Amino acid sequence: MPVDGADPHTGLSADLRLLRLHGIPRARTLEIPRLLAAAEQLGYRTSGTPVDNAVTELLRRAVHRLGESREATAAERSFGLSPGHKLWKAADRRRAAAQVQGVSIETFRKSYELTLLDQLATEILGLLDELDEPPAAPPDRPVAEEFWQEHHVADVLRAAHANADWDLVEGVYLQCIDIARNHEGGLMPDAIPAFFAEALGRMSANYFGREEQLIQHGLGILGNAEHTNKITPALFRLLYTDDRFDRFAPYAGGTDPKRLRRRPRPFETLVETARRFRDLNRLRAALDGRPTSCVLGGSVNYARYLNVRGRHGGLPGSSVDVMLVIPDFGVLDEVIAGLGTLPGSSRASLTALAERARVWRQRGLDDGNTLFSQRIWMWTEEDDPVMSWAPNRGEYAIDVRIASSDVLAWILVAGNPKLTSSSAGSSRSVRNFCERQTVPDEHQRSFSGRDLLIPQDVTELGESRLRVHRVYTIHGERYYPGSAQNLILPRLNTRWENLPIRRQLEMFRWKMIERLRHERRNHPYELLRMSMSHSRSELFAPHILRSVDSGDAT
């Protein structure tokens, strides 16, 4: 990618230093030819796109490859990518980044900042290298069959350490199993599996698009910690079902419905989270070229590598919750056709989806106020090759909610600048065209953690239901997000954007923050947090809680 005779990495690093100093808003006047060339090659700098927007998207993509880490957050703050930081001066951005790293400003400037800039240059070059790679020929059989064989641990270790830094993952895992082996104690501190999840979240960014390899390398790393010499089916099953954790209450589950969400074993959640991200990437490929955007919710969003579990006994595996946003329901058939090519998807689910789409049209439900929902079962009619050594075949569900742009705007309260009764009303509702399943009353929760149950309002439509959900409720001067908003909150995590929605999500995020500030002024002697307004906040990974409730967000 050199635009002159300079080494590409050196040139990109120089451009990044200049941009960090002067700020993204001045990108159009800076001499940063390598960054601009990279943005153009990657499709961010198209006709009519402002230079600062193109550079912003390029940097966001590069930072994303750093994973969930302090380094990624520090990089965001260094360049003003965090919400509200874009216009900050260079010194203020450096101070904020140094605070994240927990070092002095001077130490950050002389060491951490230089390392970050060099790494971002490397990530940008990696993105460009991916463009040059020829598309892989479709395999005659699932790829996993080719490497899901017995291997020597030493061979896998070499490959794993060549791809990513696994030291933290291995160290925390050793801490877990040392406690599990010691029967003198009966407590597995929640902070330890939570830190294991955070470490995996940071490191797994190195395996984006190679999630099956992440599982294989993880098996080698954990197998080495167990002092085994060979990766075998027995080792896979032993770690997946690790009964050393049975004596700890969070891992035991039980018959009480509130305890059915047992915590998975470390290797189990590595496998199950990675499989779901693999299938999400395949979902994106299946919908490629179609005008869709995807918002990720549920446990894969807020509890990855901690509470994402597989099927166990009579209990299902963790589902994947996504909202697909389309411009209008005129493209619904096109989206359904794309979903039909998703590997591992149940033919029965897809047949039901097509039939329910026919009912949707017959009933005239495209009114700008109705979601179309479908549960797509995965790996129920064929085995996931990755699970050939596992005690289950890998069944789980992808719960898809399809929203038009108008429905999304309604859910995000786009027409109102404030989330107040006087501006937006004390509540609003959205209908959900869903399958006939037993559903409880709707559970909502305020910033103070107070609970509110909304009785279900359901109309039978043949084999489907039309259920009315509260988008939000303002009750007793407290704001309660509904299930549709909780699908988007707390992280507003977009998996892809073929239809621009990021700006709408950011506007909604700031309205939520202002609503929280409003309630804190009214209740100065209460603990109010953004995370506590989510009906599943008790399942959040601690590092996600910290991110959601950070001072910068509120």
Side-chain angles (χ1 to χ4, degrees), residues 172-189 192-193 226 242-248 251 265-266:
V172 181
Y173 177 72
L174 281 168
Q175 186 178 2
C176 271
I177 61 174
D178 282 347
I179 294 173
R181 288 169 177 158
N182 185 356
H183 284 262
E184 293 181 5
L187 173 67
M188 173 67 71
I192 298 175
E226 300 284 355
D242 199 337
D243 60 9
R244 292 173 296 186
F245 290 81
D246 287 349
R247 61 194 180 86
F248 303 119
Y251 294 89
R265 280 65 175 154

Side-chain angles (χ1 to χ4, degrees), residues 290-293 325-328 403 405 496-502:
R290 296 169 172 86
T292 66
S293 289
V325 183
I326 56 179
D328 57 69
S405 294
W496 69 83
E497 281 190 88
N498 296 328
L499 183 71
I501 60 172
R502 187 186 298 274

Side-chain angles (χ1 to χ4, degrees), residues 6-156:
D7 170 65
H9 188 278
T10 302
L12 274 172
S13 295
D15 285 3
L16 287 167
R17 285 195 294 273
L18 190 63
L19 184 65
R20 197 221 68 80
L21 177 62
H22 294 283
I24 289 176
R26 296 183 61 185
R28 63 176 64 87
T29 64
L30 298 176
E31 288 293 327
I32 48 173
R34 299 98 174 163
L35 277 176
L36 296 181
E40 185 170 355
Q41 286 180 258
L42 292 165
Y44 297 122
R45 192 184 179 195
T46 56
S47 177
T49 302
V51 171
D52 56 337
N53 288 356
V55 170
T56 296
E57 291 306 311
L58 172 64
L59 290 178
R60 286 189 191 280
R61 181 82 179 277
V63 169
H64 177 74
R65 291 166 65 97
L66 298 178
E68 296 177 354
S69 62
R70 290 187 300 175
E71 290 72 23
T73 305
E76 288 180 344
R77 295 188 179 186
S78 292
F79 287 94
L81 299 175
S82 301
H85 292 184
K86 187 173 184 178
L87 298 178
W88 281 21
K89 295 180 180 179
D92 295 330
R93 287 185 272 110
R94 178 176 283 157
R95 182 181 299 107
Q99 185 180 20
V100 171
Q101 292 284 177
V103 297
S104 69
I105 298 173
E106 194 62 16
T107 299
F108 182 82
R109 180 182 70 84
K110 291 180 177 180
S111 175
Y112 288 81
E113 185 173 278
L114 298 176
T115 302
L116 271 181
L117 294 177
D118 283 349
Q119 189 59 41
L120 286 177
T122 300
E123 300 301 344
I124 292 172
L125 289 174
L127 290 169
L128 294 170
D129 288 342
E130 291 174 4
L131 289 178
D132 297 332
E133 293 178 0
D140 296 330
R141 60 186 187 277
V143 175
E145 288 184 358
E146 297 182 355
F147 67 79
W148 244 195
Q149 306 166 8
E150 294 188 4
H151 296 279
H152 289 289
V153 167
D155 295 334
V156 177

Side-chain angles (χ1 to χ4, degrees), residues 242-418:
D242 199 337
D243 60 9
R244 292 173 296 186
F245 290 81
D246 287 349
R247 61 194 180 86
F248 303 119
Y251 294 89
T255 56
D256 182 349
K258 294 181 179 179
R259 297 291 304 280
L260 292 181
R261 298 189 188 96
R262 63 170 183 86
R263 178 177 293 164
R265 280 65 175 154
F267 182 62
E268 177 191 356
T269 195
L270 188 161
V271 171
E272 298 299 340
T273 303
R275 290 177 59 237
R276 283 154 180 75
F277 278 119
R278 176 205 61 187
D279 290 345
L280 281 169
N281 288 335
R282 291 176 174 178
L283 176 62
R284 177 179 185 172
L287 296 175
D288 187 42
R290 296 169 172 86
T292 66
S293 289
C294 177
V295 182
L296 177 63
S299 59
V300 179
N301 179 33
Y302 53 67
R304 62 185 68 179
Y305 302 112
L306 178 64
N307 285 322
V308 179
R309 65 185 186 278
R311 183 178 179 86
H312 179 76
L315 303 179
S318 299
S319 60
V320 174
D321 294 282
V322 297
M323 178 182 286
L324 293 180
V325 183
I326 56 179
D328 57 69
F329 279 98
V331 300
L332 179 60
D333 287 341
E334 189 179 346
V335 171
I336 291 174
L339 292 172
T341 66
L342 177 62
S345 57
S346 158
R347 298 301 100 186
S349 295
L350 296 171
T351 299
L353 173 60
E355 175 59 26
R356 294 183 62 244
R358 184 183 65 80
V359 175
W360 166 278
R361 286 186 289 269
Q362 288 178 345
R363 298 278 185 166
L365 297 178
D366 181 12
D367 57 1
N369 191 38
T370 306
L371 291 162
F372 186 112
S373 296
Q374 176 71 38
R375 171 164 285 189
I376 298 176
W377 284 100
M378 300 292 294
W379 308 109
T380 57
E381 298 169 4
E382 57 183 300
D383 292 330
D384 184 346
V386 167
M387 302 296 283
S388 59
W389 291 350
N392 62 68
R393 67 191 304 176
E395 308 99 316
Y396 76 92
I398 299 179
D399 287 327
V400 179
R401 285 87 165 177
I402 303 176
S404 66
S405 294
D406 288 343
V407 175
L408 179 66
W410 178 250
I411 291 171
L412 300 181
V413 202
N416 300 88
K418 295 182 179 181

